[in-house]
Structures are given as C-alpha cells and as structure tokens.
C-alpha cells in the first residue's frame, strides 16, 4: 500500500497528469527547522533538463500544507504538495488497449479494472517520487548526525558514461545504471530483527522506487564467492570499527557503527521509441508499436536523489524506533 | 520486529539453546488440511547432516500447538513449536567479551544491553528459521496453485561444488553461494505499490533471513547494462505471456502472470575455525581468537528451503491482500 | 499516530489556522463514482451556523487532489484537501502560558516541546475532522449496501433540547450530549478477533474523535445489570435474525447480520466564557481566565456526522479485510 | 487479527480444549527480571473456584518458552504457554447445529466456514485471556512506575453482590457487572492522536476482551449531562494537577499526568442453563435448548485481572512509543 514506516511514517499520493503529487509525513519530531527552501537542493537534483532526461520540465515547487509553524515542525503530520502544471496527456490514451512492454500498463489494466489514470503513467509515474524526495529532505534532518550519500557507479556498464547517453538518446533507446548509497555516522544498534533488519527495511524502500531491479549490501553478490576467512570483518576497536567493511555496516540485521554501503541496480527506462511488439486488446492480436511522448533515456540520473531520500526516511524511522528501549526522560514542566 | 505480513501474518520466536523455537501464523484461511506431517519434507531439506553442514543434529519435530482441529486449519492463529534437545552451551560464553568477526555478537552486546541469550547465537541463530520453514509449508498451501521453487545456482562461485565444500571443511573455512527462487502459476495483479510492491515485500522477507547479502529480480544487476530495447519484454498474448522474462514476472511492482524469478546472494558462514582478530572487551585490546563449536561450512545448503518458505509466506500474504477489491460474496447460511 | 485502518486506510493532516486540513485514503477500490459533490451533504451537516455552533463559518469546499479520474476512483490514494480561509489567530497566543482547563493546551505544551501550532487548537482542532467527514462520504460508498445512520438521543440530558442550548449560549456555557449510531444491512462475519473485534475497531475510531467520553454497544452499561437469560438474543431464522438485539449486532467481536447499534457520550465543549482557574506559566501561579474566541456551545450537533463518517470508514475497512478468505476470482483479461 | 500494539506488541493464540493457549510479546525491553513466578499472582486472580465461577479448574501453569535468560528478558520475543489439561469436550458438539444465543457459535459457523474448533468455544473461549494476563504481568513491569489498579464497582447492579451471585447460580442464570480501572503515576504526554489517542488504544484493548459492552473515561456518560463550566478540570500546579478529574487523566487524547480512570461494562455470561430458543440448522427450525456444561455465572469476577492486564499492555506500548521523540542517547561501548 502507499504508506511506509513504523514511527516516522510516510504516505504518498498523486499522479503524473492529475492535480499534483505529494506526501504526508507522520511521526516527525517537533522543533525541526523546515521550510520549502530545505527541499530545493534535493528536488533540483531530481529535475530533468540534463542530457538523458525527459524534455518535460516542471517547476517542482513544494508547498508545505500542514505540520509546520514559525518555520519549525510541530509534531503534527507534515504534508507537502506539488501542483502539476506542464502536462500533455494526449500521448497516453492509446496505451490502454496497447500496453507498452516493460511498463505497468498491462498489470494496471487488470488490477485497477480499467479505472487507472493512464495519463503519464498516473500513480505509477516517476513523478510520484517527488514526494519521496521532499520527505527525504526532512528525514535527513531527523536522521542527523547520520549523513546519507550516493554516487552513480556506472551507466550502461561504464563509469564514463556521457557519450554513451548521448548515443542512446540519438538512437531513441535507453540505459540502466548502478547507484551506490552510503550512510555515515550511524549509531550502533539500529534495525529490529528478525523481520525488520536494517537491510530488510532499506531494501523494502528501494524496491518501492520504480525501475529498481537489484540491491546488494557490502560486498553483496561478490560475497557469495568469498570464503568466511576473507569476508569476516575484524573488529579493531572498542566502538566497533572494523578493518574491512564487507558487511556494509550491518551484522545480524543491526547497524554496527561502520559505514552502511549498498548498491542498487536500475533498469533501462521502458519507454523507448524503437518499434516493439505488444498485444493489442482492441484488435485482439500482437501488433508493433512505437512509444512516443517525453521520456528519460536514463532514469538512473534522476533516481539517485530518490534513493537517497528513501534511505534517509528508513534511517530516520529506525532511529526513532531504536529509542523505544531508552529510559523515559521525565519531561520537566518548564 | 518479529512479525511480518499484512493479512497472512507470521510472528517468530525462540532461541538456539533455550526451550525451543516456533512461529505463530495469523490470518490463515480456515479449512486447509494441515498436520505435522505436512511440514516434514521441507524441514528435512533444512536439516544438517550433509557435508558442509553442522554436526549438531536436532530432531526438528514440529508440534502444532493451536489453530487446527480435525486435521484442518480453523481460522484461528496456528502455532508451531520445536523443542530444543541437543544443545551444548559451554562453547559460547566467551563471545560476550570477545565478539566474533562477522557475527551479531558485537551489535547484540550494545542493543540488548548485555542481556542477550548468547548461547548458540540465541535469537540470532539460524535455528529460528525453523519456524519460517514450518510456516512456509502452510503458506505453500494457502498460495496454491502458485508453486514456489528454488535451485542453488552456485557455491563458492562454482556450479559443481561438491569438492569445493569438502576442501573448505578440511580447511576450517566456509563458502557462500547463490540461490535462485521461482514462483509459477502466479495470478496477475499481486503486489500493492507504491511501497508494497511485490519486489519490496519479497526482498523485505529475504533480508530477514540471516546471511543474505543481495537480491536481484529478473535480469537484475545485468539489467543495469542493458538497453531498454533489449530489456523490455514483448507481450505476446491476451493473458500477458511475454517473449522474454527480463522483468522476472513483475511490472510496476505488480505480478504480470509470468514466472517470478529472483536470485539471492548468501555470504559465507561467519563461524570459521581459522585465527581471526577481534576486540577483547575484558582485556581492552585486540586479540586473536579461533571460533570453535559446531558450525555449517556452507549455510547456503540449508538456507535454500528457508528462502522458499519466506517466498511462499509473502505470496500467500499478497494473494489474501489482493482479494480486498473483489466483490463480497454473500455467504449463504448453509 | 495519524493513520488508521488495515486495508481501507486513512491518513489525516492539517490545522485549524494553517493552510488547511485534509486526508489521504489508501486502499479504496477502483471504479467508485466520486466527485466533490458526493461529500457536500455530509459536510453541510458538520457545518456551523445553527444555534449552539461557532460563529466562525468556513466554505468547507473539498478539493480532490489525487486518486480519481473521469469521476471515478482509480485505486490510487484519494487525497482531499480543504483550504482554510476564515482564520482569526490573535485569540490564541495567550493559551501557551495559560492553558485552558479541559483543553489539550497543557499536554501539547509538554508533548510537542513548545512547537505546537497553538492557533485555533492547531492539529487538535475539530476542524481536522473535516477530513474524516470527506473520507466517510467515500467510505459509505465502499461499505454499500451497508447504511450508516445516526441520531442525537439527548443534549444536556434532554431529548427536547432547543431551549436548553439557547440558555447555555446566553450563559456563555456549553452542553454535552449522546449520539446513537446504527449500521444496517451488515453482512455476517465482519470483525477480526481477538484484537480487531468489530467493537474494538469502532471504539478505536470513536475515541479518535475529539470530545468523546464513552461508548456502549447494544444494551451497553445497562447489560451490566441484566441477567443472561434476559440479555441473550434468541436466534429466530437461518440467516441469524434475533428476537431482541441486546448484543447490538455483534457476537464474539463478529457482526451477526443484525443492526449494529452503539451510543457515544460527547462531553460539553471545553471552551466556555465563564471565569476559570488555571496555572499561568508566565507568572508561575494559579490565575483566573476567561476563554474568549469563537466556539461551539454544543459540539454534539457537529460531531454527529463525524461519528457517522468514522463508523463508515471502519465498516469499509472491515468489509475489505473480511474478503481475505474468499476464493480468488480469476480476473479475465477482458 | 490476533496481534496488538505498535512497539510492545502481543500476539495471542490458543483454544479452550486444544493443546493450550499462549502469547508472544515482542518489543519487550531487555533486562527486566521475569520468571514464571511473576505471573502467578495475577493468574490466581483470574482463576475459577470462587462462587459464581466455573467448576472447571485448570492448573494455569505458565511456561516461558522464549525470550528470557538467567531470569531476565533478553529483548527477543517472550513466549508464554499454558497447557490444557482438564478438558471435557463432549458437551460442545451440539452447538454446531444449534448455536447458543449470545455466543459466537452462529458467527463462527459463517466466518470460519464450518472449521471452527467448537470445543469449549475454541479460540473464542475466555481461556485465551490467560495469555493476556501473562503478558500483563510483564507489561506492568515495563510500564513501571505506572501502577494499574482495578475494582469491581457493582455486579447485577449492586455494590454488595455476594448473595446476588449465589441466587443467580441457584437459578442457573448469570450476572453482569462494572469494573473500574485506574492507572497512577502516569507520565504527561502518552497517547498519539489523531487516531491513537490514549482512550482509543485503551478502548481497542478493552473491546478485545470477551463480554465487554461499554467503556467510559472520567465522568463518561455523565459528562453528556454536564455543562462545560462544571466539567472542565481546573489546573492547579505547574505539573498539571487538577482540582477535579472529570477528564479521567486524558486531554486531547494525551495523558495529562493525573490518574487515568475508566469503567467497563461486562455483560452477563451468555451460557445459562435456562431454556432458550435458537435456530436449529439440522432441523431447519427454531427449537428450545438448555445450555449444559461448566460455566461462569459471573464472568466479571474473572475479567477484572484480564482488563488490568490489557490496560498495562497498552500503557507499556504508549510509553515505548512516546520515547520516539527523545534525544538518542549515545550508548557507550562499556
């Protein structure tokens, strides 16, 4: 469903070509300085405009609709909304009868019984991730002093990918990529096994983000080819610093104080303007189609800040949850 | 925390060397034939005894403590319990002051404030996964006609791994591996985006299973190096069969009726009897240790049925959830 | 926290004098006709304007921000927002240092560490219930053919209460009341004991509504003075009709097909313009205050449609949940 | 469903005449002294044996199956199990075709599709509340220094009820009653509005307990007949002590530091051995029946400690949740 988190809990909503998109953040501690400006840097990083991103440009102007007062969070739910402005919906109606390969068109047709808002992908659109980035800006403050970082390791299999993207755009095709996420200054003890291990919560969030295909922590899939004697991280200090970090900062599902490291595989955007076969429900037969419209040739570029935001939201939630076993501080009246 | 699922919901408990381990399954439909015998095949697959598994052998005898009557589920919570019998706890007390590299010893020390049951790993032990396998046996029936399958693709990087395991055992070392999971006969429409996409729920479960380091769906990390024109699965029929299955049976977080395919990376067991450095909390300095005790050299062999069980539990839960939008059938009185 | 429901799930937000108030409804089935007009009748019933209600009048104009397309729900989250227009905040700043008896001022001061939006009660304001009424209008459709009804049984202890209200207004005082809720055409089998009995979920919702002090089902507190032989409802038909309905339509936490009946006690509004003592935090001593501002002398009048909405939301959620054990219908492709 | 709580979370299971009944408690802080002996006082208070309670006597011997080590909680799930011993099931099979008035027989028949364990009421039996009492004993320690207390205010409408009970037993009939619950030494700030107000969570729990028909906080239903000027509690001190306590210790859904007070109405036991009419499903007509078997004439006597336990569980959960906004204490390594 459209909510996630135990205590720092986000509820996402919105569509690509409807009135807009947004998010409600529940459980945010009171007293955190937060205004629209605090979201702008991350929102700018998610924006299109660069080579390889869609020509559709939106203002992406966030509006805080609830939960702040005098520039600070109040403890009540924080709602952030983005109006849609630059929508061009005529491109999409055809996909109802002619579902695009690699898209949600076919499954949406079934699950939502023909009532989906198909314009621009509706609720399946990457535009919905705006809310996540907005909430991530607040989550980063809540999770402080933890610091979430990210890096694109490769696009189309290459570290040096600029020319590759230009070529893909020219050929009306698309590329995938790999993003590495890190979290520094992590307290020891976050994560609630058995089921809510740190990896379980982070991966749950990562696979909510459209276009993700894989995740690995620490040495990840390479660990499957290592021996235990190689893979184990030797503990060097009383506060748990390890010589290596094959575990990616997590043991037994609980953060060990070292840097959290994980990598996410992003598939190539499904929307490509090359001819493709699909089943046409009007004509009841397979037909070739070409997907027009404004699309991202390499969504990895724009997913990076979304993944960062998602990671920050999970870290904030794990932090708040881990406090449950602290002693209760007697709040003085004044 | 120790529960998972929205409607078909499992709550796991138990320790390696305590009274036992078990699970409570809530939300199981009434009328499913289920006795202790139904769990035995999967439990046997999880058992030690083969080369590369621990010499500790347990009866692993399941006892249904609630929720069935006359050999069928009643709709009330089903509780399954396993008594511990063959425990040998003297091996473990040392790890309180001398946390084993790669284990949860260090984080448990912090999070549980010194009160952890350290014997055999306590609640962190792989023994806790017994409950998951038991619940999986029931989940497989609930998820029917879906069929969950699995295969070990490689151990220590090799498809042909028998000799490799023998060598690792001889050298007191351990090996990782990769398991592939599949689900066949999947109805179209399971999974509840945005946050509870099919991949999100499956990966959440997979990372609850100890020793998992990575997961990828369909073409997974390889997708990051493909172009959209290659990666998109062309739809060939009205019921959604696709020519290829790069998506692994899931689009937009929702099952598309094709086979679900994902792979899981399992790290090499942390318990190795080679000398390793760690911080000794009694002596306040780094010391070399050798981990004795009875351990699995290749846990991948035993994790395979656990992952299958986990996948079945998630499929059962997604199936029950997806029914929410069906018309309500008027139950006739007789 | 600010969300409720297992499958039909609402997330509420907003403040009295901020930008507005609203709600996000997740899990709503696709294909339900729903526009702003569908909410207006219930919103009108909640409006002020009658004798005994606040002179503050708001347009209470609902805006659907997401989740509908072509006048129908799509299956994506439905967001409804109400802009605030007629706010007059100068009245409220004094209550930070001088918490009003019977209000949340004192507890908010502590819990939210001085960051509460105190204007008009902020997130504690009855204005937040607008979202509930809006969601209730949709829930009533989802819960169809069930019909939620309500009646004010008494105000100030009297069935005939008009004159009583006028008198209370004249004397700057306030009155409580009792509202009776009913649900007709209820399917047999809603409610999920042990913890989510029908009464448990309904009462949870009722006590979320500000100003509620008590709830009783069927014969309620009077049942405590009956004998079993009097209280038991004799079953007269195969479909479960009973001769009497002392149980209020629920046995063992599960609906029995008879009318659900419960009554809710509403306290007199706390805001009264008579002199009252409270602790003044600026002057560190008890002082007498008079609460000015625009208030409802009898909030019972406006809580009635809020309680109805709450009941409808719970019935919708229980209905969707009870479907989990239905057979899965194979959705045909067309 | 059968779990409740956000952080201190209980999962209940078991049947009256099956193997036994029990509970799993997740989220319990580590380091709390807890052995079987800690439960015995409360379990004894729930026992039958007094006039007005069932002649069936059970050992009610609790067994801790997980989650403690060296006499303390470890932070892992605590499981407590009670074996059934004194079961006499032949009495119950008739109620499948002939549902007892006032019982869950009729609704269970529908909801569980004929697979209910009907023996002794199965999962609907009051015996299941054993687990709640056991968990309550632990919750009372977690919630410390809060103190949960209770008192039977009346049975059959009388404060002096001993003779009344004897009479009801003689006449094969049953009586209801009213129990008052209190919580003392409550920190200011527990409860999480909008939906998880302190009253909402407490009432949710209370209506999970079989036989409850009503709940009222503070002055409760009487508040509906008071004026605001009478009902408001004047604040007398900086720490929030009030002159009166009409609010029952809760304002705006949040505890205000005063004593929490609420009353619960318990219906007369449904099992009475007087002739009653019900629909007979074998003969397809209304027939007169007499309910034999071993029953409680006044369940109020035994529900009292169950309600106390439920209140303690909720207080513990609210306490742990309210810590989410505390500063994170840096756990020193030693």
């Amino acid at each position: 469903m459209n909510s996630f988190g135990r205590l720092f809990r986000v509820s996402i909503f919105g569509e690509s070509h409807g009135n807009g998109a947004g998010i409600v953040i529940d459980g945010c501690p009171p007293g955190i300085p937060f205004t629209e400006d605090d979201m702008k840097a991350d929102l700018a990083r998610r924006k299109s405009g660069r080579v390889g991103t869609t020509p559709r440009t939106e203002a992406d102007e966030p509006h805080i609709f609830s939960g702040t007062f005098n520039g600070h969070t109040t403890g009540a739910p924080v709602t952030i909304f983005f109006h849609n402005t630059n929508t061009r919906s005529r491109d999409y109606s055809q996909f109802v009868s002619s579902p695009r390969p690699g898209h949600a068109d076919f499954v949406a047709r079934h699950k939502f019984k023909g009532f989906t808002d198909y314009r621009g992908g509706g609720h399946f659109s990457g535009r919905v991730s705006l809310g996540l980035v907005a909430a991530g800006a607040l989550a980063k403050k809540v999770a402080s002093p933890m610091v979430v970082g990210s890096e694109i390791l490769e696009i189309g299999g290459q570290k040096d990918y600029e020319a590759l993207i230009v070529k893909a755009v020219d050929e009306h095709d698309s590329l995938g990529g790999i993003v590495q996420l890190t979290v520094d200054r992590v307290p020891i003890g976050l994560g609630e096994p058995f089921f809510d291990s740190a990896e379980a919560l982070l991966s749950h969030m990562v696979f909510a983000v459209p276009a993700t295909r894989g995740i690995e922590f620490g040495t990840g899939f390479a660990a499957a080819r290592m021996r235990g004697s190689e893979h184990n991280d030797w503990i060097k200090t009383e506060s748990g610093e390890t010589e290596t970090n094959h575990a990616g900062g997590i043991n037994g599902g609980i953060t060990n104080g070292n840097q959290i490291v994980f990598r996410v595989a992003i598939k190539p955007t499904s929307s490509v303007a090359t001819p493709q076969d699909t089943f046409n429900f009007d004509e009841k037969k397979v037909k070739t189609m070409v997907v027009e419209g404004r699309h991202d040739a390499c969504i990895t570029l724009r997913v990076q800040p979304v993944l960062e935001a998602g990671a920050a939201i999970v870290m904030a939630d794990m932090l708040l949850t881990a406090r449950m076993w602290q002693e209760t501080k007697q709040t003085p009246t004044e």
Side-chain angles (χ1 to χ4, degrees), chain A:
Chain A
M1 323 275 291
N2 291 280
S3 294
F4 189 68
R6 186 174 295 272
L7 295 176
F8 187 89
R9 188 166 175 87
V10 293
S11 297
I12 210 162
F13 61 90
E15 283 86 17
S16 181
H17 292 211
N19 285 319
I23 202 159
V24 183
I25 305 147
D26 197 10
C28 182
I32 296 178
F34 190 64
T35 68
E36 278 84 354
D37 284 343
D38 290 306
M39 295 175 254
K40 293 197 171 159
D42 282 345
L43 290 169
R45 294 170 59 213
R46 186 193 156 283
K47 263 199 175 167
S48 62
R50 286 160 291 173
V51 172
T53 61
T54 174
R56 171 181 173 184
T57 53
E58 281 275 3
D60 291 353
E61 198 73 50
H63 296 279
I64 300 178
F65 271 15
S66 75
T68 65
F69 180 52
N70 290 337
H72 291 75
T73 59
T74 62
V78 178
T79 306
I80 302 154
F81 189 69
F82 298 83
H83 294 279
N84 288 335
T85 51
N86 184 356
T87 57
R88 206 169 62 181
S89 298
R90 61 182 159 74
D91 304 316
Y92 295 91
S93 52
Q94 55 176 307
F95 305 136
V96 177
S97 54
S98 199
R100 290 165 293 175
H103 274 81
D105 299 340
F106 176 79
V107 293
R109 178 192 181 83
H110 278 73
K111 190 171 185 73
F112 303 104
K113 303 174 181 177
F115 291 96
T116 310
D117 179 353
Y118 51 75
R119 301 167 302 164
H123 188 56
F124 286 94
S125 166
R127 184 153 179 79
V128 172
S129 68
L130 266 180
L132 220 54
V133 174
L138 182 53
K140 284 175 180 177
K141 293 187 167 211
V142 173
S144 168
M146 289 188 268
V147 179
V148 178
S150 68
E151 186 189 351
I152 294 180
L153 294 187
E154 58 171 70
I155 282 176
Q158 302 199 5
K159 288 188 82 159
D160 216 354
Y161 44 74
E162 288 292 330
L164 209 62
I165 294 178
V166 172
K167 190 161 177 289
V169 171
D170 285 351
E171 294 170 15
H172 306 294
D173 213 334
S174 66
L175 296 170
I178 296 177
V179 180
Q180 178 164 288
L181 279 290
T182 52
V183 190
D184 285 283
R185 301 196 201 166
V186 182
I188 304 169
L190 307 189
E192 304 298 332
F194 189 82
F195 289 108
D196 294 342
S197 72
E199 298 105 324
L201 295 182
L202 285 165
S203 71
H204 190 139
M205 174 61 86
V206 158
F207 283 113
V209 174
T212 50
R213 299 277 79 201
I215 186 171
E216 56 176 15
F217 289 84
T219 40
F221 276 84
R225 299 177 175 189
M226 292 169 79
R227 283 182 157 213
S229 57
E230 285 174 273
H231 184 267
N232 286 346
D233 300 310
W234 293 8
I235 303 170
K236 305 304 287 181
T237 70
E238 197 167 356
S239 53
E241 276 89 1
T242 55
E243 203 162 77
T244 51
N245 188 14
H246 297 126
I250 303 167
N251 290 122
I254 297 171
T255 59
N256 64 19
N258 291 283
Q259 187 187 54
I260 294 179
V261 190
F262 61 96
R263 282 170 300 285
V264 180
I266 311 293
K267 71 170 187 175
T269 325
S270 303
S271 294
V272 290
T274 57
Q276 299 180 94
D277 281 4
T278 192
F279 190 84
N280 186 302
F281 280 81
D282 285 345
E283 306 184 24
K284 303 273 184 208
K285 63 175 185 184
V286 173
K287 286 195 67 177
T288 300
M289 73 186 303
V290 172
V291 179
E292 307 288 357
R294 301 169 295 176
H295 304 292
D296 294 275
C298 182
I299 198 66
T300 307
L301 300 166
R302 300 180 64 196
V303 166
Q304 182 185 4
V306 176
L307 290 171
E308 252 186 43
I313 290 167
V314 173
M315 298 315 297
D317 190 38
M318 290 202 295
L319 181 68
L320 265 53
T321 302
R323 288 173 181 163
M324 68 177 165
W325 289 346
Q326 287 192 182
E327 293 303 304
T328 300
K329 200 176 60 186
Q330 285 305 320
T331 324
T333 300
E334 199 49 351

